[in-house]
Each structure stands twice: as structure tokens, then as C-alpha cells.
Amino acid sequence: LPDGYVPLKLPSNNYHFFFLDFYESSPLDSISRRRIRQYVQYVESEEWEANTNTPFPTILMIFSSSILQKVLTGYVYRTVNRSESLLEHLTFMATTMEKLRATKDSKEPIWQKITSDGVSDDETIHFL
């Protein structure tokens, strides 16, 4: 199971759903990579959509260090980039604990979206 599940009610009375995961291990740790593969398998099974009639939640990845973030976002990119249909149904957003702690004092984007082009700063989810 994810470390957290966040249903966020939007002003339009619709909801946006998020799975939240913390990554604190070594970049070489197979548990972190297995977790990412589990999300890919889950979205490919289409169970979420069939059971909830909602799009698959955005996956928020919070890393203990920028090095761990760099290594595992690269792994996510390589994993999801193998299929165009995965990118239509699966969104990974990444940040570090340091960036989250500094959010009060910073105007910089907090989250980076992993796309078919790589990793980019995403300013569309400032509400998080």
C-alpha cells in the first residue's frame, strides 16, 4: 500500500486523487524500484478505474535526498517511457523533503513531473 492516500476536493467539487510515497533508502535498494513497478502493474491492470470510475491517482514521490530523487526519477522515466499508454494513465510527481520544508520561503516549483521528455518543473499543482 502507498504511504498515504489523499483525495483533494477542488473548487469545482470534483476530486483529484493522490498516492503518496516516501523514499528514504539507498538508490540501489530494490524495494524502491519494486514499488515503482507495482504502480505500473496496477495501472496496467485497470483495476482502479474499473472499481472507482475515476482516473488513476497521481503518484507523489517524496525523497530523503536529491541524489535518491535523481536516481529513482531516472528509473521511473525509463520504466514508464516504454509505453505511450502508460503515460496517458500514470503521472509521477517528485520532490525532496528539503524542498517541502522550504515551501514557506520559496516561490520555486516544489514538484517535478516525470514525462516522456524527462523531468520538468510543474507549476500546475501549486495547491499541494
Side-chain angles (χ1 to χ4, degrees):
L1 296 173
D3 292 322
Y5 171 70
V6 181
L8 184 65
K9 189 173 183 179
L10 303 173
S12 63
N13 283 332
N14 291 329
Y15 282 86
H16 195 112
F17 301 100
F18 301 91
F19 287 142
L20 179 68
D21 275 314
F22 295 96
Y23 294 84
E24 351 181 47
S25 332
S26 158
L28 303 175
D29 183 16
S30 65
I31 294 171
S32 299
R33 293 171 192 268
R34 187 173 343 144
R35 183 84 193 117
I36 293 162
R37 288 191 307 271
Q38 286 174 330
Y39 279 124
V40 169
Q41 291 168 350
Y42 192 28
V43 80
E44 287 177 331
S45 75
E46 298 180 1
E47 286 180 55
W48 175 270
E49 289 90 345
N51 292 323
T52 66
N53 292 321
T54 62
F56 196 81
T58 297
I59 300 163
L60 301 176
M61 306 171 78
I62 302 173
F63 296 96
S64 60
S65 71
S66 57
I67 293 170
L68 182 59
Q69 179 183 1
K70 184 175 182 176
V71 170
L72 287 178
T73 55
Y75 179 76
V76 169
Y77 169 76
R78 290 186 304 278
T79 302
V80 299
N81 210 27
R82 67 185 168 101
S83 167
E84 292 263 341
S85 64
L86 274 178
L87 294 172
E88 292 173 16
H89 303 284
L90 189 58
T91 303
F92 284 92
M93 305 291 289
T95 194
T96 62
M97 286 300 297
E98 183 180 338
K99 280 187 180 179
L100 284 177
R101 287 186 187 112
T103 58
K104 291 184 231 172
D105 305 325
S106 176
K107 299 288 184 208
E108 305 246 342
I110 300 164
W111 297 94
Q112 292 182 315
K113 184 176 183 179
I114 303 169
T115 69
S116 60
D117 296 326
V119 179
S120 65
D121 289 337
D122 185 37
E123 300 192 31
T124 61
I125 62 166
H126 276 313
F127 55 84
L128 287 176

